[in-house]
Amino acid sequence: MVSGSGDPVAGARRLARGALVAAAAAVLFLLTGLGNGGMVILLSGLAGLVCSGAGIWWFLAHRGTLRVFGGLLAVGAPVAVLVLYVVGGLWLTALVALGLWGVALLCGRAALRRPVGERESTRTRGVRRPRPRRPVLIMNPKSGGGKVARYGLVERAEKLGARVVLLDPSAETDVTALARKAVAEGADLLGVAGGDGTQALVAAVAAEHDLPFLVVSAGTRNHFALDLGLDRTDPAGCLDALVDGEELRVDLGSVSGRPFVNTVSFGVYADVVQHPDYRDAKAGTALDLLPDLLQGGEGDRLDAIADGHRLPAQQALLVSNNPYAAPDPFAAAAARRPRLDGGELGVIAIRVDGAAQAAELAVRGTQAAGLNVLTAARVEVTGKAVGVGGGDAGSGSGSGSDGTSGRSGVGGLIPVAVDGEALILPTPVVCTLRPGALRVLVPRHRPGVIEPQPPMDWRRITRLAFHHPSPRSGT
């Protein structure tokens, strides 16, 4: 973005200074333009966020009149703010301020992304391996609405020398047993054309025998394939790894002994996934169930511990095989994991007791008290806390219907969604990670590979702008 000298440190410093200048200009433009409505823009924008956040909460956590009102407020608040800007002649001021802030974010992220020292070694690098001689691929013909047949995956794989094991959609199949049988018969590579849940089961067998593993993106969503950089719209292209591939060492998650490649979800989402109608009507089923699960902030909660950090009375808990990107509109994608070999679990915990906390979450984002975003080597869900909303749930003072604390404690059963699959597991449920346990064979040319994005850190940008880094320290 910055031309001139080839010194990346100098280029990063110029970008950092540009970010600070643009950010200061955005703030000064609003504060000094009070006569042109600067303060009105700030206050009305903030009020719109607050009302929209509260409206979303009422829409999700309630039924009847309050749900209708919440939906109208969630949509109407930002529309009302826009109308105010246009009618009051403030739209140009708001547009300029927003543009300056956008420039500040773009320059700041670009400055942090410049290759200054340690940034050069953050991307996972593949290693060329000999072509597998006896690859075995397990394919689910129902996965992704029939992608196996639609993309001719069986014929394509067999043409490339692989043996295909086609699952019978009409019968329950032990996929792990099929993978072990293939290994016993001499397979030197295991692969799956199917959903993430099936991918994880076969990946565990491949890791156990230190065999390469091939991902074919024939599932509905295939988040694992996405984060590997594979093209989910071209499952047949994944098979190119058999003839022109490279190997990546990535981490493999474990939840109470069961493998996972993406996420383990507890709380509200896990409860929704258990419902038999969820597969056919995800959005409708969730909207129908959420009021009963949330109970206006008084629903069941979960207690968890992440590396000694207590997370009491959470409504939802997401544990991922490596953390997802930080929420940032200028990042490549918040719903992606830039790395799969970082050796850490990502943890996102949410606790919202009512409309006020929902509004805070809308305004403050990751800084809100109801949202915890962290990393850990071990996450333990110790039990369920029932009916603790509205009070100090963290202190365990909430009470159940019998006047007791409502905590089920250790030894109960809780719903868990593992890579989207609905399970019931006994507490405590423990999530860990096996760093570098899985050898994944991928095509050398992958269209979806993204560079790891650094978090937006204004203190680091300030240091970069005004301090001269030593050759050893990088930034």
Side-chain angles (χ1 to χ4, degrees):
M1 294 182 66
V2 176
S3 59
S5 70
D7 183 359
V9 176
R13 185 178 298 113
R14 285 192 292 270
L15 285 166
R17 289 173 178 172
L20 293 176
V21 169
V27 174
L28 289 174
F29 187 77
L30 289 175
L31 295 181
T32 60
L34 297 181
N36 296 322
M39 187 58 69
V40 174
I41 291 173
L42 284 174
L43 295 179
S44 60
L46 182 62
L49 280 176
V50 169
C51 292
S52 184
I56 291 172
W57 170 256
W58 284 324
F59 179 77
L60 295 176
H62 297 274
R63 286 193 171 91
T65 304
L66 198 53
R67 166 170 276 193
V68 174
F69 174 73
L72 292 174
L73 186 62
V75 176
V79 171
V81 171
L82 291 176
V83 170
L84 174 64
Y85 289 170
V86 173
V87 173
L90 305 175
W91 64 271
L92 183 58
T93 304
L95 189 62
V96 171
L98 184 62
L100 287 170
W101 186 249
V103 170
L105 292 178
L106 284 171
C107 289
R109 183 161 293 283
L112 296 176
R113 194 167 54 237
R114 301 285 288 190
V116 285
E118 75 276 4
R119 290 283 301 132
E120 296 180 350
S121 62
T122 54
R123 178 176 167 179
T124 305
R125 300 190 180 278
V127 178
R128 295 301 302 272
R129 294 296 186 192
R131 178 174 175 172
R133 292 177 295 177
R134 302 188 65 181
V136 175
L137 304 182
I138 298 173
M139 297 192 179
N140 182 358
K142 287 184 62 179
S143 189
K147 286 185 179 179
V148 169
R150 190 158 68 249
Y151 289 92
L153 298 181
V154 174
E155 297 79 7
R156 167 79 170 154
E158 290 178 341
K159 184 178 179 180
L160 294 175
R163 178 166 72 89
V164 175
V165 178
L166 204 60
L167 300 181
D168 182 358
S170 64
E172 283 286 335
T173 305
D174 188 340
V175 178
T176 300
L178 282 179
R180 294 189 188 283
K181 183 173 183 289
V183 174
E185 293 173 349
D188 62 353
L189 175 142
L190 294 176
V192 176
D196 289 322
T198 307
Q199 299 274 3
L201 294 175
V202 179
V205 178
E208 177 185 345
H209 295 276
D210 197 30
L211 294 177
F213 177 67
L214 177 66
V215 176
V216 182
S217 57
T220 303
R221 291 176 296 275
N222 279 130
H223 290 298
F224 189 47
L226 173 68
D227 294 332
L228 287 169
L230 302 175
D231 186 354
R232 295 186 298 178
T233 66
D234 181 23
C238 301
L239 297 171
D240 291 343
L242 293 173
V243 293
D244 186 24
E246 61 182 14
E247 186 179 295
L248 307 176
R249 277 279 184 181
V250 303
D251 306 331
L252 183 63
S254 175
V255 50
S256 294
R258 180 188 175 97
F260 71 95
V261 292
N262 289 320
T263 59
V264 182
S265 298
F266 304 87
V268 172
Y269 174 73
D271 286 328
V272 170
V273 170
Q274 304 289 325
H275 199 276
D277 295 334
Y278 176 75
R279 291 294 177 191
D280 297 325
K282 292 180 173 62
T285 302
L287 287 176
D288 185 54
L289 295 177
L290 280 174
D292 292 331
L293 297 173
L294 295 173
Q295 296 179 32
E298 300 288 339
D300 291 355
R301 309 294 184 91
L302 289 165
D303 295 332
I305 302 173
D307 281 356
H309 181 83
R310 300 188 65 82
L311 299 168
Q314 303 298 306
Q315 286 158 315
L317 182 69
L318 178 75
V319 179
S320 58
N321 174 0
N322 282 267
Y324 280 81
D328 184 337
F330 290 89
R336 294 189 64 171
R337 291 166 293 176
R339 298 189 62 172
L340 293 171
D341 63 343
E344 290 185 312
L345 296 167
V347 183
I348 302 175
I350 302 175
R351 170 185 164 181
V352 180
D353 293 333
Q357 283 198 358
E360 183 199 10
L361 188 60
V363 174
R364 300 188 63 200
T366 57
Q367 302 302 311
L371 179 63
N372 280 288
V373 180
L374 59 151
T375 59
R378 183 179 188 273
V379 177
E380 179 179 346
V381 179
T382 56
K384 181 178 287 190
V386 183
V388 297
D392 183 5
S395 66
S397 60
S399 60
S401 60
D402 59 355
T404 63
S405 68
R407 293 182 182 274
S408 64
V410 177
L413 298 173
I414 59 173
V416 182
V418 181
D419 286 335
E421 300 293 328
L423 300 174
I424 301 292
L425 297 178
T427 57
V429 179
V430 177
C431 301
T432 56
L433 205 61
R434 297 168 56 193
L438 185 61
R439 301 166 53 191
V440 182
L441 189 68
V442 295
R444 279 199 306 122
H445 301 289
R446 308 189 302 285
V449 174
I450 63 172
E451 289 291 340
Q453 300 294 315
M456 197 64 183
D457 186 339
W458 286 103
R459 284 180 295 184
R460 186 180 171 199
I461 290 173
T462 302
R463 290 197 302 268
L464 182 59
F466 298 109
H467 296 279
H468 294 276
S470 66
R472 292 184 179 181
S473 63
T475 59

